[in-house]
Amino acid sequence: MSDPAPPTLAERLEQRVAEHSVPPRASCLQQIIAARGMLRSLRDKGYNSAQLAAWLEECGVPVRAGTLRAYLARIDRAERALAAESPETPPSDREILAACRQGFIRDAARSRPPASRASHTHRASGSAQAASPAFAPPMSSLTHNPHRDL
């Protein structure tokens, strides 16, 4: 009589998952979209973004005040745009989330500098040729140390 083989790691993990079913975690943006009506009414009553962000933090939604302000503005824009497309039905949370995410992607694409050949010119080190002022990056007098360029 031999002992049965111990369960494999995969079998033990499957058993653990079956015992502790956890609902899928919603993203911070999804939770803010779901609570947008309450957040909007609190904002209209005079509560500021820092107070709302602190309350959301207490409720398990970690978000900074500036991020919350940006999310609420994006949600409002997405909701208005979706309502303009079909005025007879209010947009669902899922539609608003999709529109917000498309906006994030669109903004990220806009913020990338266009690829230009002027930025890819190679010069030999020690070259006396100076960069044209039109292509030189702007330097603040507060952060630029002229002695470092020597």
Side-chain angles (χ1 to χ4, degrees), residues 35-71:
R36 71 186 179 278
M38 176 58 79
L39 292 170
R40 191 176 290 136
S41 69
L42 290 171
R43 190 177 51 186
D44 291 344
K45 289 180 183 176
Y47 291 98
N48 63 29
S49 298
Q51 292 169 316
L52 295 176
W55 289 343
L56 287 171
E57 178 90 32
E58 291 173 7
C59 294
V61 181
V63 65
R64 293 179 187 226
T67 304
L68 177 62
R69 203 170 25 253
Y71 279 178

Side-chain angles (χ1 to χ4, degrees), residues 41-112:
S41 69
L42 290 171
R43 190 177 51 186
D44 291 344
K45 289 180 183 176
Y47 291 98
N48 63 29
S49 298
Q51 292 169 316
L52 295 176
W55 289 343
L56 287 171
E57 178 90 32
E58 291 173 7
C59 294
V61 181
V63 65
R64 293 179 187 226
T67 304
L68 177 62
R69 203 170 25 253
Y71 279 178
L72 291 174
R74 185 173 297 279
I75 291 167
D76 289 344
R77 283 193 308 268
E79 203 168 9
R80 280 193 306 270
L82 290 169
E85 288 176 8
S86 60
E88 60 276 351
T89 58
S92 69
D93 289 356
R94 180 172 280 170
E95 292 171 330
I96 294 171
L97 179 64
C100 287
R101 287 187 174 156
Q102 285 176 349
F104 290 138
I105 293 169
R106 194 171 39 249
D107 289 350
R110 283 186 200 151
S111 68
R112 286 191 201 137

